[in-house]
Each structure stands twice: as C-alpha cells, then as structure tokens.
Amino acid sequence: MARSHKVDISGLLTGGRQLMLVEDEVPIEEFEGISFPTPAQVQLEMRCVDRLLHIVGTVDARAHGICDACLEEVDVPVHAELDERLDPNTGRDNDPFGESNVLTGSRLDVADLAQQVVLSEMPMGLRCSEDCAGIQY
Ligand SMILES: [Zn+2]
C-alpha cells in the first residue's frame, strides 16, 4: 500500500499558521541502477515568507549500487540540505524543481520533493571509497 506523503499547507498560505514542521519517511525510487532499500528520512521546516513557501530541512537516504571502479556492491549515505522557495501562486512555471508536481495548489508532495533532492545530491557514479583502485588483477 502506497501511503500518501502529501502535506496540506493551506494554513501557511492563508497566514493561519506561521510554521509547519514535517517529519516523514518516504520511499525513493530506483534511479539508473542505484536503489534505495530504506526510506529516506525527511525533516522539513516550512514558512510562508513574502507569499513564497520557504522550505528548509534535510533529507537522508542510503543509496545501494555497484562501485563504478571495482564493481563491488556499495552502500552510500546520501545527505541533502534543502533551502528552497516555491511560489504557490505561479505554479510550476517558476518551480525550482522544474517538471515536478512537488507543489500542487496547497498540497506539497513530500515524497516527490525528497526524490528530487536525493537525486540532485547523487554523484555521477557510485564509488566504494574515494581512493578505490578499481579492479585488481
Ligand atoms: Zn570500488
């Protein structure tokens, strides 16, 4: 069963609330051979500042894949810091996340947000360590 990770931020947008805290665990979809066996830990602080939704927070995940150099399986922690402003009024045209549905009306999709943040932090290729010597013959 997929659980919804959408958060209603209408209270922020109408000024009824100053601050919203979100703590969630969301699944991250596989990406170019890199899988995410455990849910990402998401912590967000959201405020409405000058009509913009200001989101700061962190996303922590574990990426699992194959080291590009030595082809061993690796687990790599992924830590992302988030500091974004979304304009709830203009919709996706000014969306820093581009083609996304992160914010639809007054609903923020935390899972979609986390997915994009994690992928933007991923290195081009996984390495088991920075000085991996590659395949040894
Ligand atoms: Zn390696």
Side-chain angles (χ1 to χ4, degrees):
M1 276 282 288
R3 189 160 72 84
S4 170
H5 296 281
K6 293 196 168 70
V7 176
D8 186 351
I9 58 162
S10 56
L12 281 178
L13 300 180
T14 57
R17 295 184 68 172
Q18 300 291 314
L19 173 67
M20 273 184 77
L21 300 177
V22 174
E23 280 190 47
D24 206 348
E25 292 189 355
V26 301
I28 305 294
E29 287 170 28
E30 187 170 322
F31 170 75
E32 292 187 359
I34 299 168
S35 62
F36 299 88
T38 56
Q41 309 285 324
V42 181
Q43 295 202 323
L44 304 176
E45 267 186 49
M46 298 189 288
R47 289 180 179 79
C48 203
V49 181
D50 295 333
R51 292 188 178 178
L52 297 178
L53 179 67
H54 188 189
I55 307 175
V56 295
T58 57
V59 179
D60 285 282
R62 287 197 81 80
H64 181 84
I66 303 291
C67 171
D68 264 7
C70 68
L71 307 182
E72 293 286 337
E73 289 193 23
V74 286
D75 266 306
V76 180
V78 181
H79 174 78
E81 303 272 343
L82 187 63
D83 187 348
E84 297 287 351
R85 285 171 179 77
L86 302 180
D87 190 339
N89 302 303
T90 56
R92 59 177 64 185
D93 290 346
N94 279 344
D95 189 339
F97 296 101
E99 306 279 313
S100 72
N101 293 310
V102 168
L103 190 59
T104 308
S106 59
R107 290 198 175 265
L108 180 81
D109 189 330
V110 176
D112 199 8
L113 180 79
Q115 175 92 26
Q116 297 193 38
V117 168
V118 166
L119 296 191
S120 70
E121 286 290 320
M122 289 302 298
M124 290 305 290
L126 288 181
R127 288 287 170 109
C128 60
S129 70
E130 277 183 25
D131 51 2
C132 174
I135 296 172
Q136 303 292 307
Y137 296 98

